[in-house]
Amino acid sequence: MFYFDKENIHTIYMDIRREAFDIHGKHVNVNPDIIADFRSIPFDDERFNLVIFDPPHLKWAGPNSIMKAQYGQLDKNNWNQDLAAGFKECMRVLKIGGTLIFKWSECQIPLKDVLACCEYKPLLGNQRGTTHWIIFFKGGD
């Protein structure tokens, strides 16, 4: 939802699903370049200079939730293990000297709980508000 140019030749848009439908008067079109799970990214180690990790933020959502329709939903019992696996995969495909941008909305899970799942320390990010952009740098040490 934050892309200005999803067709840019320098980006690969990955999502676990491809679907288009209408819900509550809004058209939802999830059309990634590649369908894959963030817990098992199908790219070689150290492939990308920049990775953006924007996982679902919801543990609870109704079956007709527009937020769930647009953004997906985490497993309410295993969300922390899933996010930990996602962080590992993002760092694995990131080149040494690369940047990981992590987007998180604290609508149901506090940022501090999410960062506790990550073995990497953030470099910088915003600490106010409910939507956070957190930057990680992959050093060579």
Side-chain angles (χ1 to χ4, degrees):
M1 297 303 237
F2 52 77
Y3 285 93
F4 286 98
D5 181 8
K6 281 188 180 178
E7 307 303 319
N8 186 295
I9 63 168
H10 301 288
T11 63
I12 299 172
Y13 170 37
M14 185 181 95
D15 202 300
I16 199 167
R17 63 198 173 120
R18 178 181 321 238
E19 55 191 2
F21 55 89
D22 294 309
I23 183 169
H24 303 297
K26 183 167 183 158
H27 183 70
V28 175
N29 184 25
V30 181
N31 188 26
D33 299 316
I34 183 169
I35 297 173
D37 189 321
F38 66 69
R39 296 169 296 183
S40 181
I41 299 174
F43 293 102
D44 293 335
D45 295 356
E46 299 183 13
R47 163 105 186 252
F48 301 102
N49 293 310
L50 173 67
V51 173
I52 300 171
F53 186 26
D54 181 21
H57 308 132
L58 302 175
K59 289 193 295 184
W60 303 285
N64 294 318
S65 164
I66 193 161
M67 293 294 286
K68 178 182 174 182
Q70 289 180 298
Y71 305 111
Q73 180 177 354
L74 293 167
D75 182 291
K76 65 183 169 213
N77 298 313
N78 298 312
W79 66 267
N80 49 350
Q81 294 99 325
D82 292 342
L83 290 178
F87 277 115
K88 273 192 164 172
E89 279 294 281
C90 288
M91 292 304 260
R92 180 186 64 77
V93 300
L94 191 63
K95 291 181 180 180
I96 301 294
T99 302
L100 169 63
I101 299 174
F102 175 65
K103 179 179 172 266
W104 188 254
S105 173
E106 287 189 298
C107 56
Q108 294 182 2
I109 306 169
L111 178 64
K112 67 176 181 57
D113 294 346
V114 172
L115 292 179
C117 302
C118 180
E119 62 185 73
Y120 311 97
K121 188 166 179 74
L123 179 63
L124 60 100
N126 65 312
Q127 297 184 37
R128 294 200 173 125
T130 57
T131 299
H132 301 278
W133 294 86
I134 308 296
I135 311 300
F136 296 83
F137 175 75
K138 184 176 180 180
D141 46 302

